């Protein structure tokens, strides 16, 4: 399989598993009392996190194409294509870079304008080639220089468009100065978001399809189960021009039944790879706000991600498959690179290893081949800092010479893989195991954003100002917390105006 396939196929396979089950989550009985929420500690960040954040920022700043502003899917690369989701993370990173003093605001405006002008001007249409997208959606992978669909196997992706839009709307709300460049950023962001035709992607309404191909048509699966598709629905509900009905959120949460359960003493809404508990949370602060489903459960989606983080660590401590180095501070399964697709003997039993794949631990759809991805732990920092900080520190202290380089943590490593066979990517390090050779944009992005959210809620606070995010959440039935505070703050002004 070409390395280009590394994102769409494995991640889609995991999501397709989650898409097959429907169940009733709406209940007629009275709501149970709130479930006690684990107290959240706030330990101070160590100097390592300053270094991780700066190096991860440099990935986006230094690898972006100088002519288009598009971010490469991975680096170093042999095939020049961009992941539109990585572009969304990059647009978010630029504001962080200003706040951290890595770049000036003027530099961030210039880079953001370049990127948004490229995105707004790329051709959209139903042709099989030469197009960047269709009906406002973007193809998952586009040429780094041309912006056109990278290959015939690349889908028009609803979720990667959503991840792109997370960054686009961040730029719209962050660049709020009365200055021509920033005004143009706001205008371009508005155009890019408003032109997405969300109802067109509801081929099996009210759910939203995962994507579309010019020749094959719609992907025969919708966003259901619990995963990063939450962001897709919030953005689709918030659109003032091409919005979807609120019944879509009800259908989305109805499909949660397969995902709820108890795993390693944590009761939560599960999704085995950790990225499903991170991506939507990069841009949306779910602390204290709840939809009908979570009001019934007695806690919020943030606490849900906290429990998922604890469950991942507990799984590594238990280490039921006997992989090398797993333990209290060496853990983290998500979508990442891996050594090779092969079935090999490990400790007297045949084990399956994979190249790029979704990996995870949970009640359903779990896969574990001994490959640890540092982003799984590092990007969970706001959820459980008291266990994430020691994990990041220990991975760096013990194995930094092998797994930490120019742009921070390399994508993944597998100490259990020491087989003398051809590798799909990465390298074998004597007396250590397999280590990835690349950085991947969609694994880098959550690291820098979530470190900054932990510091001072920065990305979350910027996004709270965005009317489309607020509208999407409110139409989904979210109440409480900062949503109510914002509504109450508006009420006196409205009354005075009358």
């Amino acid at each position: 399989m070409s390395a280009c396939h590394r994102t769409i196929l494995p991640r889609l396979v995991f999501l397709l598993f989650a898409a097959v089950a429907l169940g009733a989550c709406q209940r007629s009985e009275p709501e149970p009392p709130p479930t006690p929420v684990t107290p959240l500690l706030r330990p101070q960040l160590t100097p390592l996190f300053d270094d991780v954040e700066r190096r991860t920022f440099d990935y986006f700043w230094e690898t972006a194409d100088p002519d288009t502003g598009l971010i490469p899917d991975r680096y170093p690369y042999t095939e020049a294509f961009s992941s539109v989701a990585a572009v969304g993370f990059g647009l978010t990173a630029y504001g962080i870079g200003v706040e951290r003093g890595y770049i000036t605001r003027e530099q961030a405006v210039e880079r953001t304008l370049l990127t948004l002008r490229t995105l707004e001007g790329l051709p959209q249409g139903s042709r099989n080639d030469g197009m960047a997208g269709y009906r406002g959606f973007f193809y998952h992978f586009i040429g780094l220089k041309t912006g056109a669909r990278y290959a015939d196997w690349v889908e028009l992706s609803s979720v990667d468009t959503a991840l792109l839009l997370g960054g686009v709307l961040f730029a719209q709300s962050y660049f709020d100065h009365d200055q021509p460049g920033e005004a143009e950023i706001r205008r371009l962001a508005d155009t890019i978001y408003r032109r997405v035709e969300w109802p067109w992607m509801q081929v099996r309404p009210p759910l939203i399809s995962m994507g579309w191909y010019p020749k094959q048509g719609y992907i025969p699966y919708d966003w259901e189960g619990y995963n990063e598709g939450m962001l897709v629905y919030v953005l689709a509900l918030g659109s003032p021009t091409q919005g979807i009905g609120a019944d879509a959120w009800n259908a989305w949460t109805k499909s949660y039944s397969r995902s709820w359960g108890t795993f390693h003493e944590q009761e939560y809404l599960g999704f085995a790879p950790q990225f499903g508990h991170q991506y939507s949370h990069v841009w949306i602060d779910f602390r204290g706000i709840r939809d009908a489903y979570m009001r019934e459960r007695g806690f919020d989606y943030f606490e849900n991600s906290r429990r998922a983080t604890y469950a991942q660590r507990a799984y590594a401590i238990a280490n039921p498959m006997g992989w090398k180095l797993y333990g209290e501070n060496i853990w983290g399964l998500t979508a990442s690179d891996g050594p090779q697709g092969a079935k090999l003997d490990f400790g007297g039993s045949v084990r399956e290893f994979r190249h790029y794949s979704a990996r995870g631990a949970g009640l359903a759809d779990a896969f574990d081949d001994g490959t640890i991805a540092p982003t799984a732990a590092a990007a969970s920092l706001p959820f459980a800092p008291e266990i994430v900080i020691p994990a990041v520190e220990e991975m760096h202290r013990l194995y930094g010479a092998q797994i930490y380089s120019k742009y921070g943590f390399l994508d993944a490593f597998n100490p259990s893989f020491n087989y003398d066979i051809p590798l799909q990517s990465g390298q074998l390090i004597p007396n250590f195991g397999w280590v990835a050779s690349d950085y991947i944009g969609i694994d880098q992005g959550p690291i820098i954003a979530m470190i900054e959210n932990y510091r001072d809620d920065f990305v979350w606070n910027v996004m709270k100002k965005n009317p489309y995010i607020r509208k999407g959440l409110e139409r989904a039935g979210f109440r409480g917390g900062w949503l109510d505070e914002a509504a109450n703050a508006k009420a006196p002004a409205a009354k005075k105006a009358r």
Side-chain angles (χ1 to χ4, degrees):
M1 179 186 295
S2 166
C4 301
H5 291 72
R6 64 111 197 115
T7 302
I8 171 63
L9 295 182
R11 189 174 73 177
L12 195 54
V13 166
F14 239 95
L15 297 178
L16 301 191
F17 285 140
V20 298
L22 290 171
C25 293
Q26 295 178 334
R27 310 181 193 280
S28 57
E29 64 265 22
E31 292 185 6
T35 303
V37 174
T38 308
L40 182 66
L41 306 177
R42 288 195 59 86
Q44 185 174 357
L45 289 178
T46 59
L48 173 61
F49 283 83
D50 295 336
D51 192 62
V52 171
E53 188 172 10
R54 178 58 198 257
R55 288 172 186 257
T56 307
F57 169 82
D58 287 345
Y59 171 87
F60 294 99
W61 188 251
E62 294 179 0
T63 69
D65 185 85
D67 299 319
T68 64
L70 299 177
I71 306 291
D73 171 63
R74 59 171 61 225
Y75 188 88
Y77 55 82
T78 56
E79 300 173 82
F81 63 93
S82 170
S83 156
V84 296
V87 176
F89 286 118
L91 289 167
T92 307
Y94 302 148
I96 295 171
V98 175
E99 299 302 308
R100 297 293 297 162
Y102 305 151
I103 55 174
T104 66
R105 191 175 181 97
E106 291 71 26
Q107 287 176 301
V109 167
E110 181 180 10
R111 175 67 63 82
T112 301
L113 271 177
L114 171 64
T115 309
L116 294 182
R117 285 168 178 165
T118 296
L119 293 169
E120 194 272 339
L122 290 174
Q124 293 244 340
S126 60
R127 280 176 38 198
N128 191 55
D129 56 11
M131 299 291 107
Y134 184 44
R135 294 182 178 263
F137 293 93
F138 284 86
Y139 284 104
H140 190 158
F141 297 124
I142 56 179
L144 197 60
K145 289 287 187 184
T146 66
R149 183 189 186 200
Y150 182 67
D152 281 351
W153 51 265
V154 177
E155 87 285 15
L156 192 75
S157 172
S158 52
V159 71
D160 290 278
T161 297
L163 295 170
L164 169 63
L165 292 175
V168 168
L169 294 183
F170 171 86
Q172 181 186 48
S173 291
Y174 178 70
F175 293 105
D176 58 358
H177 289 188
D178 184 17
Q179 185 265 347
E182 299 200 19
E184 185 180 356
I185 286 174
R186 296 193 294 273
R187 179 189 64 78
L188 289 168
D190 214 48
T191 298
I192 293 166
Y193 173 66
R194 283 172 172 255
R195 73 184 182 186
V196 180
E197 298 180 28
W198 300 101
W200 175 77
M201 199 61 87
Q202 291 181 295
V203 64
R204 291 165 293 272
L207 294 172
I208 296 176
S209 174
M210 290 184 172
W212 175 87
Y213 295 91
K215 292 181 179 178
Q216 301 97 311
Y218 291 99
I219 292 174
Y221 301 97
D222 299 313
W223 286 104
E224 52 185 336
Y226 178 72
N227 46 53
E228 79 274 31
M230 184 159 56
L231 182 64
V232 175
Y233 285 100
V234 170
L235 292 173
L237 287 164
S239 174
T241 53
Q242 303 284 344
I244 61 174
D247 58 339
W249 190 266
N250 295 332
W252 158 250
T253 56
K254 267 189 175 183
S255 70
Y256 285 177
S257 61
R258 179 174 178 268
S259 304
W260 182 266
T262 300
F263 181 70
H264 281 279
E265 300 183 358
Q266 299 292 329
E267 186 179 23
Y268 65 107
L269 194 57
F271 181 67
Q274 193 68 0
F275 73 82
H277 299 282
Q278 297 169 341
Y279 280 179
S280 299
H281 294 255
V282 164
W283 293 283
I284 301 175
D285 183 0
F286 285 100
R287 295 174 300 177
I289 65 172
R290 304 177 188 178
D291 61 358
Y293 183 92
M294 281 304 187
R295 284 194 291 274
E296 183 176 300
R297 297 298 182 183
F299 58 95
D300 55 40
Y301 286 102
F302 181 90
E303 169 66 13
N304 195 77
S305 291
R306 177 173 171 79
R307 295 181 184 193
T309 305
Y310 263 91
Q312 276 238 2
R313 175 175 175 262
Y315 170 83
I317 293 171
N319 195 11
M321 300 182 73
W323 298 118
K324 293 181 181 179
L325 301 188
Y326 277 30
E328 181 180 12
N329 291 324
I330 308 296
W331 53 271
L333 304 176
T334 192
S336 72
D337 266 350
Q340 177 60 284
K343 292 184 178 180
L344 302 165
D345 179 82
F346 180 83
S349 64
V350 175
R351 299 283 180 87
E352 179 185 0
F353 294 89
R354 294 180 182 173
H355 177 224
Y356 188 91
S357 179
R359 296 168 171 86
L363 293 175
D365 311 329
F367 176 76
D368 179 16
D369 65 355
T371 301
I372 297 167
T375 186
S380 298
L381 175 65
F383 307 134
E386 67 279 6
I387 64 172
V388 167
I389 293 173
V392 173
E393 283 283 346
E394 187 154 320
M395 281 189 276
H396 179 266
R397 179 174 59 85
L398 295 178
Y399 313 119
Q402 292 83 22
I403 67 174
Y404 195 79
S405 191
K406 182 176 183 179
Y407 296 129
F409 286 102
L410 290 160
D411 192 60
F413 62 101
N414 190 328
S416 299
F417 193 96
N418 285 284
Y419 301 93
D420 185 17
I421 64 171
L423 299 174
Q424 186 75 27
S425 65
Q427 61 176 324
L428 288 180
I429 297 179
N431 302 315
F432 181 73
W434 175 87
V435 176
S437 54
D438 296 352
Y439 301 91
I440 296 178
I442 61 172
D443 288 344
Q444 293 284 89
I447 294 176
I448 181 174
M450 293 303 242
I451 292 176
E452 201 61 19
N453 278 332
Y454 181 70
R455 288 188 192 281
D456 58 9
D457 303 350
F458 171 63
V459 178
W460 291 334
N461 285 340
V462 169
M463 297 304 285
K464 288 172 187 176
K465 299 188 297 182
N466 192 279
Y468 303 135
I469 293 294
R470 180 177 293 113
K471 179 183 176 182
L473 290 168
E474 290 173 344
R475 292 194 67 218
F478 282 87
R479 301 198 304 265
W482 62 268
L483 281 174
D484 287 357
E485 292 167 9
N488 293 336
K490 290 180 181 179
K495 184 175 181 180
K496 184 177 180 181
R498 289 195 297 270

mmCIF file of all heavy atoms in Angstrom, residues 208-234:
data_model
loop_
_atom_site.group_PDB
_atom_site.id
_atom_site.type_symbol
_atom_site.label_atom_id
_atom_site.label_comp_id
_atom_site.label_asym_id
_atom_site.label_seq_id
_atom_site.Cartn_x
_atom_site.Cartn_y
_atom_site.Cartn_z
ATOM 1 N N ILE A 208 -24.990 12.453 8.706
ATOM 2 C CA ILE A 208 -24.084 13.022 7.702
ATOM 3 C C ILE A 208 -23.131 11.945 7.233
ATOM 4 O O ILE A 208 -22.521 11.244 8.040
ATOM 5 C CB ILE A 208 -23.305 14.219 8.299
ATOM 6 C CG1 ILE A 208 -24.274 15.350 8.658
ATOM 7 C CG2 ILE A 208 -22.240 14.713 7.325
ATOM 8 C CD1 ILE A 208 -23.596 16.525 9.342
ATOM 9 N N SER A 209 -22.979 11.834 5.926
ATOM 10 C CA SER A 209 -22.090 10.833 5.349
ATOM 11 C C SER A 209 -20.630 11.173 5.639
ATOM 12 O O SER A 209 -20.252 12.336 5.795
ATOM 13 C CB SER A 209 -22.304 10.743 3.838
ATOM 14 O OG SER A 209 -21.351 9.881 3.235
ATOM 15 N N MET A 210 -19.808 10.119 5.650
ATOM 16 C CA MET A 210 -18.377 10.326 5.848
ATOM 17 C C MET A 210 -17.709 10.988 4.653
ATOM 18 O O MET A 210 -16.654 11.601 4.796
ATOM 19 C CB MET A 210 -17.699 8.997 6.149
ATOM 20 C CG MET A 210 -18.060 8.436 7.507
ATOM 21 S SD MET A 210 -17.125 6.920 7.858
ATOM 22 C CE MET A 210 -17.584 6.672 9.579
ATOM 23 N N GLY A 211 -18.311 10.867 3.470
ATOM 24 C CA GLY A 211 -17.670 11.492 2.325
ATOM 25 C C GLY A 211 -18.252 11.065 0.993
ATOM 26 O O GLY A 211 -19.292 10.383 0.928
ATOM 27 N N TRP A 212 -17.548 11.426 -0.062
ATOM 28 C CA TRP A 212 -18.060 11.265 -1.429
ATOM 29 C C TRP A 212 -16.892 11.156 -2.392
ATOM 30 O O TRP A 212 -15.817 11.727 -2.155
ATOM 31 C CB TRP A 212 -18.922 12.489 -1.755
ATOM 32 C CG TRP A 212 -19.453 12.591 -3.139
ATOM 33 C CD1 TRP A 212 -20.613 12.061 -3.637
ATOM 34 C CD2 TRP A 212 -18.866 13.326 -4.239
ATOM 35 N NE1 TRP A 212 -20.781 12.414 -4.951
ATOM 36 C CE2 TRP A 212 -19.724 13.187 -5.351
ATOM 37 C CE3 TRP A 212 -17.694 14.079 -4.375
ATOM 38 C CZ2 TRP A 212 -19.453 13.765 -6.582
ATOM 39 C CZ3 TRP A 212 -17.406 14.657 -5.609
ATOM 40 C CH2 TRP A 212 -18.289 14.498 -6.689
ATOM 41 N N TYR A 213 -17.097 10.399 -3.464
ATOM 42 C CA TYR A 213 -16.133 10.281 -4.566
ATOM 43 C C TYR A 213 -16.810 10.696 -5.865
ATOM 44 O O TYR A 213 -17.996 10.388 -6.076
ATOM 45 C CB TYR A 213 -15.647 8.844 -4.718
ATOM 46 C CG TYR A 213 -14.843 8.297 -3.568
ATOM 47 C CD1 TYR A 213 -15.463 7.618 -2.520
ATOM 48 C CD2 TYR A 213 -13.461 8.448 -3.524
ATOM 49 C CE1 TYR A 213 -14.736 7.098 -1.465
ATOM 50 C CE2 TYR A 213 -12.720 7.928 -2.475
ATOM 51 C CZ TYR A 213 -13.357 7.256 -1.445
ATOM 52 O OH TYR A 213 -12.625 6.744 -0.408
ATOM 53 N N PRO A 214 -16.082 11.341 -6.776
ATOM 54 C CA PRO A 214 -16.697 11.748 -8.043
ATOM 55 C C PRO A 214 -17.246 10.578 -8.854
ATOM 56 O O PRO A 214 -18.290 10.702 -9.502
ATOM 57 C CB PRO A 214 -15.541 12.439 -8.781
ATOM 58 C CG PRO A 214 -14.625 12.894 -7.715
ATOM 59 C CD PRO A 214 -14.715 11.861 -6.636
ATOM 60 N N LYS A 215 -16.568 9.431 -8.817
ATOM 61 C CA LYS A 215 -17.000 8.278 -9.617
ATOM 62 C C LYS A 215 -17.912 7.342 -8.831
ATOM 63 O O LYS A 215 -18.945 6.911 -9.335
ATOM 64 C CB LYS A 215 -15.783 7.505 -10.132
ATOM 65 C CG LYS A 215 -14.964 8.257 -11.169
ATOM 66 C CD LYS A 215 -13.789 7.414 -11.659
ATOM 67 C CE LYS A 215 -12.991 8.151 -12.722
ATOM 68 N NZ LYS A 215 -11.805 7.355 -13.179
ATOM 69 N N GLN A 216 -17.561 7.014 -7.607
ATOM 70 C CA GLN A 216 -18.331 6.033 -6.834
ATOM 71 C C GLN A 216 -19.524 6.629 -6.111
ATOM 72 O O GLN A 216 -20.449 5.923 -5.722
ATOM 73 C CB GLN A 216 -17.428 5.344 -5.794
ATOM 74 C CG GLN A 216 -16.233 4.626 -6.384
ATOM 75 C CD GLN A 216 -14.963 5.478 -6.324
ATOM 76 O OE1 GLN A 216 -14.982 6.637 -6.718
ATOM 77 N NE2 GLN A 216 -13.885 4.901 -5.821
ATOM 78 N N GLY A 217 -19.529 7.941 -5.897
ATOM 79 C CA GLY A 217 -20.600 8.571 -5.147
ATOM 80 C C GLY A 217 -20.309 8.591 -3.652
ATOM 81 O O GLY A 217 -19.150 8.563 -3.221
ATOM 82 N N TYR A 218 -21.366 8.600 -2.858
ATOM 83 C CA TYR A 218 -21.213 8.739 -1.409
ATOM 84 C C TYR A 218 -20.599 7.495 -0.769
ATOM 85 O O TYR A 218 -20.895 6.366 -1.162
ATOM 86 C CB TYR A 218 -22.566 8.997 -0.751
ATOM 87 C CG TYR A 218 -23.169 10.339 -1.072
ATOM 88 C CD1 TYR A 218 -24.141 10.462 -2.060
ATOM 89 C CD2 TYR A 218 -22.773 11.480 -0.387
ATOM 90 C CE1 TYR A 218 -24.713 11.691 -2.352
ATOM 91 C CE2 TYR A 218 -23.332 12.717 -0.678
ATOM 92 C CZ TYR A 218 -24.303 12.814 -1.666
ATOM 93 O OH TYR A 218 -24.857 14.041 -1.962
ATOM 94 N N ILE A 219 -19.769 7.719 0.237
ATOM 95 C CA ILE A 219 -19.314 6.627 1.093
ATOM 96 C C ILE A 219 -20.535 6.036 1.791
ATOM 97 O O ILE A 219 -21.380 6.781 2.299
ATOM 98 C CB ILE A 219 -18.292 7.149 2.122
ATOM 99 C CG1 ILE A 219 -16.991 7.562 1.411
ATOM 100 C CG2 ILE A 219 -17.992 6.102 3.194
ATOM 101 C CD1 ILE A 219 -15.976 8.220 2.312
ATOM 102 N N PRO A 220 -20.694 4.724 1.826
ATOM 103 C CA PRO A 220 -21.924 4.125 2.348
ATOM 104 C C PRO A 220 -21.992 4.050 3.871
ATOM 105 O O PRO A 220 -22.607 3.144 4.421
ATOM 106 C CB PRO A 220 -21.900 2.719 1.740
ATOM 107 C CG PRO A 220 -20.466 2.401 1.593
ATOM 108 C CD PRO A 220 -19.790 3.703 1.239
ATOM 109 N N TYR A 221 -21.364 4.972 4.559
ATOM 110 C CA TYR A 221 -21.388 5.012 6.014
ATOM 111 C C TYR A 221 -21.529 6.453 6.474
ATOM 112 O O TYR A 221 -21.026 7.375 5.828
ATOM 113 C CB TYR A 221 -20.117 4.395 6.613
ATOM 114 C CG TYR A 221 -19.921 2.965 6.216
ATOM 115 C CD1 TYR A 221 -19.083 2.620 5.155
ATOM 116 C CD2 TYR A 221 -20.586 1.939 6.883
ATOM 117 C CE1 TYR A 221 -18.906 1.306 4.777
ATOM 118 C CE2 TYR A 221 -20.418 0.618 6.507
ATOM 119 C CZ TYR A 221 -19.580 0.307 5.456
ATOM 120 O OH TYR A 221 -19.418 -1.004 5.078
ATOM 121 N N ASP A 222 -22.197 6.613 7.597
ATOM 122 C CA ASP A 222 -22.450 7.938 8.153
ATOM 123 C C ASP A 222 -21.686 8.119 9.463
ATOM 124 O O ASP A 222 -21.216 7.151 10.068
ATOM 125 C CB ASP A 222 -23.949 8.124 8.422
ATOM 126 C CG ASP A 222 -24.779 8.006 7.161
ATOM 127 O OD1 ASP A 222 -24.414 8.632 6.144
ATOM 128 O OD2 ASP A 222 -25.791 7.282 7.185
ATOM 129 N N TRP A 223 -21.641 9.354 9.922
ATOM 130 C CA TRP A 223 -21.045 9.637 11.214
ATOM 131 C C TRP A 223 -22.022 9.240 12.305
ATOM 132 O O TRP A 223 -23.043 9.895 12.519
ATOM 133 C CB TRP A 223 -20.657 11.112 11.317
ATOM 134 C CG TRP A 223 -19.449 11.394 10.504
ATOM 135 C CD1 TRP A 223 -19.392 12.026 9.293
ATOM 136 C CD2 TRP A 223 -18.114 10.997 10.807
ATOM 137 N NE1 TRP A 223 -18.100 12.055 8.828
ATOM 138 C CE2 TRP A 223 -17.290 11.430 9.746
ATOM 139 C CE3 TRP A 223 -17.524 10.319 11.871
ATOM 140 C CZ2 TRP A 223 -15.917 11.201 9.720
ATOM 141 C CZ3 TRP A 223 -16.155 10.095 11.855
ATOM 142 C CH2 TRP A 223 -15.365 10.538 10.787
ATOM 143 N N GLU A 224 -21.713 8.134 12.974
ATOM 144 C CA GLU A 224 -22.497 7.655 14.105
ATOM 145 C C GLU A 224 -21.585 6.887 15.041
ATOM 146 O O GLU A 224 -20.408 6.709 14.760
ATOM 147 C CB GLU A 224 -23.675 6.801 13.632
ATOM 148 C CG GLU A 224 -23.309 5.688 12.688
ATOM 149 C CD GLU A 224 -24.538 4.957 12.151
ATOM 150 O OE1 GLU A 224 -25.592 4.987 12.802
ATOM 151 O OE2 GLU A 224 -24.426 4.348 11.075
ATOM 152 N N GLY A 225 -22.131 6.414 16.149
ATOM 153 C CA GLY A 225 -21.251 5.947 17.209
ATOM 154 C C GLY A 225 -20.691 7.183 17.891
ATOM 155 O O GLY A 225 -21.173 8.303 17.675
ATOM 156 N N TYR A 226 -19.668 7.047 18.680
ATOM 157 C CA TYR A 226 -19.036 8.213 19.296
ATOM 158 C C TYR A 226 -17.611 8.315 18.781
ATOM 159 O O TYR A 226 -16.841 7.361 18.860
ATOM 160 C CB TYR A 226 -19.035 8.109 20.824
ATOM 161 C CG TYR A 226 -18.344 9.284 21.463
ATOM 162 C CD1 TYR A 226 -18.946 10.538 21.467
ATOM 163 C CD2 TYR A 226 -17.075 9.156 22.015
ATOM 164 C CE1 TYR A 226 -18.310 11.633 22.015
ATOM 165 C CE2 TYR A 226 -16.425 10.240 22.567
ATOM 166 C CZ TYR A 226 -17.048 11.477 22.567
ATOM 167 O OH TYR A 226 -16.396 12.562 23.101
ATOM 168 N N ASN A 227 -17.236 9.482 18.277
ATOM 169 C CA ASN A 227 -15.912 9.705 17.699
ATOM 170 C C ASN A 227 -15.749 11.192 17.425
ATOM 171 O O ASN A 227 -16.546 12.004 17.910
ATOM 172 C CB ASN A 227 -15.728 8.863 16.426
ATOM 173 C CG ASN A 227 -16.946 8.959 15.516
ATOM 174 O OD1 ASN A 227 -17.385 10.052 15.171
ATOM 175 N ND2 ASN A 227 -17.517 7.818 15.146
ATOM 176 N N GLU A 228 -14.773 11.549 16.613
ATOM 177 C CA GLU A 228 -14.537 12.964 16.324
ATOM 178 C C GLU A 228 -15.602 13.570 15.426
ATOM 179 O O GLU A 228 -15.585 14.780 15.151
ATOM 180 C CB GLU A 228 -13.146 13.158 15.708
ATOM 181 C CG GLU A 228 -13.024 12.808 14.225
ATOM 182 C CD GLU A 228 -12.749 11.343 13.967
ATOM 183 O OE1 GLU A 228 -13.195 10.502 14.761
ATOM 184 O OE2 GLU A 228 -12.069 11.047 12.981
ATOM 185 N N GLY A 229 -16.564 12.761 14.978
ATOM 186 C CA GLY A 229 -17.671 13.281 14.180
ATOM 187 C C GLY A 229 -18.508 14.307 14.925
ATOM 188 O O GLY A 229 -19.298 15.030 14.308
ATOM 189 N N MET A 230 -18.342 14.408 16.233
ATOM 190 C CA MET A 230 -19.060 15.423 17.004
ATOM 191 C C MET A 230 -18.825 16.815 16.426
ATOM 192 O O MET A 230 -19.749 17.632 16.337
ATOM 193 C CB MET A 230 -18.632 15.359 18.465
ATOM 194 C CG MET A 230 -19.368 16.303 19.385
ATOM 195 S SD MET A 230 -19.297 15.806 21.127
ATOM 196 C CE MET A 230 -17.534 15.712 21.407
ATOM 197 N N LEU A 231 -17.598 17.112 16.027
ATOM 198 C CA LEU A 231 -17.279 18.419 15.461
ATOM 199 C C LEU A 231 -18.016 18.641 14.150
ATOM 200 O O LEU A 231 -18.455 19.769 13.853
ATOM 201 C CB LEU A 231 -15.771 18.558 15.258
ATOM 202 C CG LEU A 231 -15.287 19.902 14.721
ATOM 203 C CD1 LEU A 231 -15.584 21.022 15.716
ATOM 204 C CD2 LEU A 231 -13.787 19.853 14.416
ATOM 205 N N VAL A 232 -18.166 17.603 13.347
ATOM 206 C CA VAL A 232 -18.893 17.711 12.082
ATOM 207 C C VAL A 232 -20.311 18.213 12.330
ATOM 208 O O VAL A 232 -20.792 19.150 11.672
ATOM 209 C CB VAL A 232 -18.923 16.351 11.351
ATOM 210 C CG1 VAL A 232 -19.777 16.437 10.085
ATOM 211 C CG2 VAL A 232 -17.517 15.872 11.021
ATOM 212 N N TYR A 233 -20.993 17.606 13.289
ATOM 213 C CA TYR A 233 -22.385 17.978 13.547
ATOM 214 C C TYR A 233 -22.500 19.377 14.147
ATOM 215 O O TYR A 233 -23.417 20.135 13.803
ATOM 216 C CB TYR A 233 -23.042 16.935 14.454
ATOM 217 C CG TYR A 233 -23.373 15.658 13.712
ATOM 218 C CD1 TYR A 233 -22.537 14.549 13.804
ATOM 219 C CD2 TYR A 233 -24.497 15.568 12.900
ATOM 220 C CE1 TYR A 233 -22.824 13.379 13.115
ATOM 221 C CE2 TYR A 233 -24.792 14.403 12.204
ATOM 222 C CZ TYR A 233 -23.953 13.311 12.316
ATOM 223 O OH TYR A 233 -24.236 12.156 11.621
ATOM 224 N N VAL A 234 -21.605 19.754 15.053
ATOM 225 C CA VAL A 234 -21.659 21.097 15.621
ATOM 226 C C VAL A 234 -21.510 22.145 14.525
ATOM 227 O O VAL A 234 -22.264 23.137 14.475
ATOM 228 C CB VAL A 234 -20.575 21.277 16.703
ATOM 229 C CG1 VAL A 234 -20.466 22.739 17.130
ATOM 230 C CG2 VAL A 234 -20.879 20.416 17.915
#
